Amino acid sequence: AKENGRNLSQFFTREMNDEATERRALETALHQALEREEFVLHYQPIVDVQTGNLSSCEVLLRWHQPEYGNVYPDKFIPLAEDTGLIIPIGEWVLQKACREAMIWAKKTDTPPGVSVNMSSRQFQRINVVELVQNTLEMTGLPAERLTLEITESLLIVDDETVIEQLHKVRELGVGLSIDDFGTGYSSLSYLRRFPITTIKIDRSFILDLTSDSEAAAVVSAILSMAQSLNLKVVAEGVEKETQMEQLRKGGCEYIQGYYFSPPVPIEAFRLMVLKEGPM
Ligand code: C2E
Ligand code: CA
Ligand code: CA
Ligand code: CA
């Protein structure tokens, strides 16, 4: 047993070294990713489920790393947050998204809105109001077409400067959406204290929606609460027709998920924008 223990601990040390090495290599690569233009944005449609029309989209960052291949955000966003690289990367995402959204505006009378993920670190480290205001001025995108997706974790840090930024961003006319709703902090008091416009029901509830009556109860409670508070609701991670149907009947207005489309490159999304009528 003693020997086993030693082998095991050697094994773990080696594993951890590999992980640390991998992390360092990834960090070096991440430092160069912006200037080497290795990032691209993908767009996932958010569909008005009552009409079937494309309403807006979520912007999702993709990293094509020449050596490691495609690195997904769940892997590199936490690293970007830890290293502070999320600041320049986040700026790039916002500017690129607003610029690209302006291109569609010229091609259709009903250009979709864009939702951009914001890290809590951005609100804690920089003035997001200035960033957003400058970006809107620079690109000419009307504020009403932009929504920032934030997480519940940002709303529970009781930080005056964060709270003020959220109010000012909203005053510009930009929407504020709570991402992964239902997975975080359980008090809902922040829904009244912050100028939220939209909530996005987390995928985990949608996954169990048609098989688990408790998940279904949570979803319908969220829907009726949102209605009383006059908030828009987006259901995330909708993959099946049965889920879509149940949400539609329950009065959910917006749906996002593989059922309609996965996140796609700009060229493919452009075709969806140009295609008039239901998706
Ligand atoms: P998120 O904001 O919750 O984004 C939704 C994730 O669910 C995306 O993963 C999307 O590809 C995936 N998804 C969409 N529909 C379905 C579906 O029907 N089924 C399943 N199984 N998955 C679906 P992705 O693109 O890998 O992004 C992961 C997370 O990385 C995002 O979660 C977000 O928190 C973060 N992220 C992505 N882009 C950015 C960014 O530009 N800035 C920041 N700060 N975070 C980002
Ligand atoms: Ca999101
Ligand atoms: Ca989400
Ligand atoms: Ca998430």
Side-chain angles (χ1 to χ4, degrees), residues 14-228:
R14 201 169 59 230
E15 280 288 286
M16 275 190 291
N17 280 338
D18 286 351
E19 225 173 81
T21 308
E22 191 201 294
R23 200 185 137 93
R24 239 174 295 133
L26 206 60
E27 190 180 323
T28 307
L30 194 58
H31 270 283
Q32 301 165 334
L34 266 183
E35 59 186 58
R36 295 190 178 174
E37 300 182 26
E38 292 169 358
F39 290 122
V40 291
L41 299 182
H42 280 195
Y43 295 84
Q44 186 174 32
I46 297 174
V47 175
D48 179 335
V49 78
Q50 311 297 338
T51 63
N53 290 331
L54 177 69
S55 167
S56 61
C57 61
E58 178 173 1
V59 176
L60 293 154
L61 186 56
R62 295 291 178 260
W63 181 18
H64 301 305
Q65 215 290 328
E67 251 174 90
Y68 309 115
N70 291 342
V71 188
Y72 277 84
D74 282 336
K75 189 147 197 177
F76 71 82
I77 293 285
L79 188 61
E81 288 173 338
D82 288 349
T83 55
L85 285 168
I86 193 66
I87 301 303
I89 293 173
E91 267 187 41
W92 181 86
V93 170
L94 187 70
Q95 288 167 0
K96 181 91 172 169
C98 292
R99 221 180 296 126
E100 295 193 328
M102 279 303 286
I103 302 172
W104 318 320
K106 299 189 181 107
K107 318 251 174 182
T108 165
D109 297 335
T110 52
V114 272
S115 275
V116 176
N117 289 289
M118 297 293 285
S119 163
S120 297
R121 297 294 161 91
Q122 291 175 275
F123 287 89
Q124 285 154 352
R125 294 229 191 143
I126 61 163
N127 185 336
V128 171
V129 187
E130 256 173 41
L131 172 63
V132 169
Q133 199 162 18
N134 290 340
T135 304
L136 292 175
E137 271 168 26
M138 206 168 67
T139 60
L141 186 76
E144 295 67 33
R145 286 188 51 214
L146 178 65
T147 296
L148 304 185
E149 297 196 4
I150 59 175
T151 55
E152 287 168 272
S153 64
L154 182 65
L155 304 179
I156 58 172
V157 299
D158 197 18
D159 181 333
E160 272 308 314
T161 64
V162 170
I163 298 170
E164 196 186 314
Q165 286 184 69
L166 291 173
H167 279 95
K168 285 192 170 154
V169 163
R170 181 69 199 112
E171 280 161 23
L172 292 174
V174 172
L176 283 177
S177 183
I178 303 184
D179 209 352
D180 305 339
F181 186 81
T183 60
Y185 189 55
S186 57
S187 163
L188 299 176
S189 62
Y190 63 74
L191 288 178
R192 289 195 304 136
R193 281 194 289 128
F194 296 100
I196 301 303
T197 54
T198 309
I199 55 188
K200 299 187 77 169
I201 307 178
D202 190 66
R203 184 165 84 223
S204 57
F205 297 107
I206 308 305
L207 193 65
D208 297 334
L209 181 65
T210 53
S211 60
D212 174 6
S213 61
E214 276 159 16
V218 170
V219 168
S220 70
I222 294 174
L223 288 173
S224 70
M225 178 195 69
Q227 198 173 30
S228 330

Side-chain angles (χ1 to χ4, degrees), residues 215-258:
V218 170
V219 168
S220 70
I222 294 174
L223 288 173
S224 70
M225 178 195 69
Q227 198 173 30
S228 330
L229 293 171
N230 214 4
L231 299 169
K232 288 188 224 163
V233 182
V234 179
E236 286 195 289
V238 177
E239 297 182 355
K240 299 189 184 121
E241 182 161 15
T242 48
Q243 296 165 337
M244 193 274 292
E245 271 306 314
Q246 193 163 329
L247 287 159
R248 197 177 55 77
K249 283 182 194 141
C252 181
E253 218 181 337
Y254 301 103
I255 278 179
Q256 177 182 354
Y258 297 166

